[in-house]
Amino acid sequence: NAGVMQNPRHLVRRRGQEARLRCSPMKGHSHVYWYRQLPEEGLKFMVYLQKENIIDESGMPKERFSAEFPKEGPSILRIQQVVRGDSAAYFCASSAQGALGGNTEAFFGQGTRLTVV
Amino acid sequence: DQQVKQNSPSLSVQEGRISILNCDYTNSMFDYFLWYKKYPAEGPTFLISISSIKDKNEDGRFTVFLNKSAKHLSLHIVPSQPGDSAVYFCAAPRFNKFYFGSGTKLNVKP
């Protein structure tokens, strides 16, 4: 399966712990996006990355959240000192071209469901 | 600032009939639009797209219509099947992100 791979599918963390979510884009895709979906809500943009660069992090909370897409390996979304409000589904998507000018599709992974207890 | 809007949170349709899902946008710079389908506990899957140079794109039972002057697009599913029951999102890629509507939950009754 050459699709977008996210792991883990489910993650349970206690308040104050760190959550680390991984995303491997589709083969040949160098553009990665992270979205968050809170219960009963839509998809909210968090961050857009290319290899080794954060291009747009306008949707990411300024504190406790960080993302990276290293030269080798998957993209990582890191949430430090998690709180109950971080409980959500986190989706990663990748595209062959950037979304700067349109005419491109994003393909999503299955998501990581984070539960903070 | 919701630049892509889906004003109907839910839609219920009888099997075999047409489902029409609507989407409006505010930014005239959007020139490409996508529809995604999402089942519970799964990621969104790409369904169909349309470029602003067209006003219609068809793929099997799915047709997307674009009205640029009204900044409106719609997804038609004919005939609707119970397996089409899911949440449908419209989206537009621009400015380093994909802008998503809030989704419409379609229920196709057998």
Side-chain angles (χ1 to χ4, degrees), chain B residues 64-86:
Chain B
V64 56
F65 294 91
L66 176 62
N67 182 332
K68 289 188 292 292
S69 61
K71 294 191 177 69
H72 177 83
L73 60 154
S74 60
L75 175 68
H76 293 211
I77 307 173
V78 181
S80 300
Q81 300 173 354
D84 296 329
S85 297

Side-chain angles (χ1 to χ4, degrees), chain A residues 56-81:
Chain A
D56 185 335
E57 55 182 348
S58 59
M60 202 150 70
K62 295 286 186 286
E63 296 179 356
R64 303 188 297 107
F65 286 73
S66 63
E68 62 178 15
F69 189 15
K71 187 176 180 181
E72 302 290 338
S75 175
I76 306 286
L77 179 68
R78 186 181 289 109
I79 311 172
Q80 297 178 304
Q81 300 176 325

Side-chain angles (χ1 to χ4, degrees), chain A residues 9 33 35 37 41-45 48 55-56 58 91 95 97 99-111 113, chain B residues 2 31-32 34 36 38-46 49 51-52 87 89 93-103:
Chain A
R9 289 291 306 274
Y33 313 82
Y35 283 79
Q37 185 179 30
E41 293 191 11
L43 295 157
K44 301 298 183 188
F45 169 79
Y48 161 49
I55 307 301
D56 185 335
S58 59
F91 293 100
S95 64
Q97 304 171 53
L100 185 64
N103 278 47
T104 190
E105 297 85 24
F107 296 90
F108 282 80
Q110 294 294 303
R113 274 141 196 90
Chain B
Q2 195 75 6
D31 59 7
Y32 196 68
L34 311 159
Y36 287 85
K38 185 182 181 304
Y39 292 119
E42 294 186 13
T45 54
F46 170 67
S49 63
S51 168
S52 60
V87 177
F89 292 96
R94 200 71 180 176
F95 313 120
N96 294 326
K97 59 177 71 82
F98 290 77
Y99 291 85
F100 280 86
S102 53

